[in-house]
Amino acid sequence: AHVSKSLKLELNAIKWPAYYLDFETVMTAIPLYPDIAPYTQLPIQYSIHKYSDVDKVVAHKEFLSDHKKDNRRQFAEMLISDLESEGNIITYSNFEKNTINTLARLYPDLSDKLQRMLDRIVDFEAIIRKNFYHPDFHGSTSIKRTLPALVPDMSYDDLQISEGDSASAAFAYLALGRWKTASEIESIRDNLRYYCARDTLAMVKLHERLQSWKS
């Protein structure tokens, strides 16, 4: 593996408590709900692992939309509450930052609180891309490449929903009424929760692993 001298500086700059954040979204040609344009990307779910230090968990919080209606307003309000006001927000790519920007434009009365989150965001994939390379990445820094290379005892193999496109499709099918019984619906919703939580926990484990590599 190649480790940059600046890895230590970037990891040490993270302000605690840290909130490891992941979103899931759905986007369809035919809108799932009234008054939404085709191909609008709707945030439907998030997972947050809150840590007081790199290996000290404080809490896990999550939100999964009611598949029967547009829940973007509640999504934004709960996100503001769960991310609190101090510490870095750790994401994997700029996707969450872009989604928060979209929510800020959609709800002007929440805009200030949402915009304040943006300065707290740390893109963990960017830290890896700039400072760390492992041959098993095979040229990619996606979490599905970095996780097995650095944390081989953790995977997504045990999950019924194990990647983002499947999560998006599952939620869309829920909204369209594909599953009818309460047990079927709850099973799918549970599988969505498990998948999103695994993404944030994967970031935690990557962070722990990189702590041992920093020079």
Side-chain angles (χ1 to χ4, degrees):
H2 170 77
V3 185
S4 166
K5 292 181 179 180
S6 60
L7 176 65
K8 180 178 181 179
L9 294 175
E10 295 212 38
L11 293 181
N12 287 347
I14 291 174
K15 298 176 182 177
W16 304 93
Y19 301 79
Y20 298 83
L21 174 67
D22 180 69
F23 289 167
E24 299 301 330
T25 62
V26 64
M27 181 172 63
T28 56
I30 300 174
L32 297 174
Y33 311 109
D35 303 319
I36 293 175
Y39 296 110
T40 296
Q41 195 161 44
L42 304 177
I44 54 166
Q45 179 181 12
Y46 65 72
S47 171
I48 298 169
H49 272 89
K50 179 182 177 181
Y51 274 62
S52 61
D53 206 333
V54 71
D55 58 352
K56 297 176 182 177
V57 64
V58 175
H60 175 249
K61 298 182 179 181
E62 61 185 6
F63 177 87
L64 178 58
S65 295
D66 180 348
H67 54 275
K68 297 178 181 178
K69 60 183 179 180
D70 176 10
N71 274 186
R72 285 175 294 175
R73 174 80 192 196
Q74 186 182 5
F75 181 104
E77 291 172 343
M78 292 298 297
L79 186 68
I80 291 168
S81 175
D82 286 344
L83 288 175
E84 303 176 33
S85 60
E86 295 183 352
N88 279 135
I89 300 165
I90 299 178
T91 65
Y92 207 85
S93 82
N94 280 322
F95 181 70
E96 283 72 20
K97 178 178 282 191
N98 294 336
T99 303
I100 291 169
N101 259 322
T102 300
L103 289 170
R105 291 193 297 270
L106 185 63
Y107 302 113
D109 59 316
L110 301 178
S111 180
D112 287 347
K113 293 179 179 179
L114 290 167
Q115 292 285 349
R116 281 198 290 271
M117 293 178 186
L118 302 181
D119 291 335
R120 298 166 57 198
I121 290 178
V122 173
D123 180 355
F124 208 71
E125 184 181 19
I127 290 178
I128 294 175
R129 187 185 305 117
K130 289 186 293 181
N131 299 290
F132 191 94
Y133 183 77
H134 192 287
D136 289 344
F137 290 178
H138 298 290
S140 171
T141 54
S142 75
I143 203 164
K144 297 297 174 63
R145 286 287 182 87
T146 57
L147 187 67
L150 298 181
V151 192
D153 58 339
M154 183 178 183
S155 75
Y156 291 73
D157 294 345
D158 60 314
L159 300 180
Q160 294 296 313
I161 295 174
S162 59
E163 44 87 25
D165 287 345
S166 295
S168 180
F171 188 90
Y173 283 135
L174 277 174
L176 294 169
R178 175 170 178 173
W179 292 284
K180 304 296 183 183
T181 69
S183 61
E184 288 176 326
I185 291 169
E186 190 56 33
S187 176
I188 295 299
R189 291 180 64 84
D190 283 345
N191 287 331
L192 286 167
R193 292 186 185 98
Y194 299 150
Y195 169 65
C196 198
R198 186 66 55 89
D199 269 348
T200 50
L201 186 58
M203 284 190 278
V204 170
K205 296 304 180 183
L206 283 170
H207 193 167
E208 290 178 0
R209 183 67 175 127
L210 284 183
Q211 284 290 112
S212 68
W213 281 89
K214 69 182 185 181
S215 56

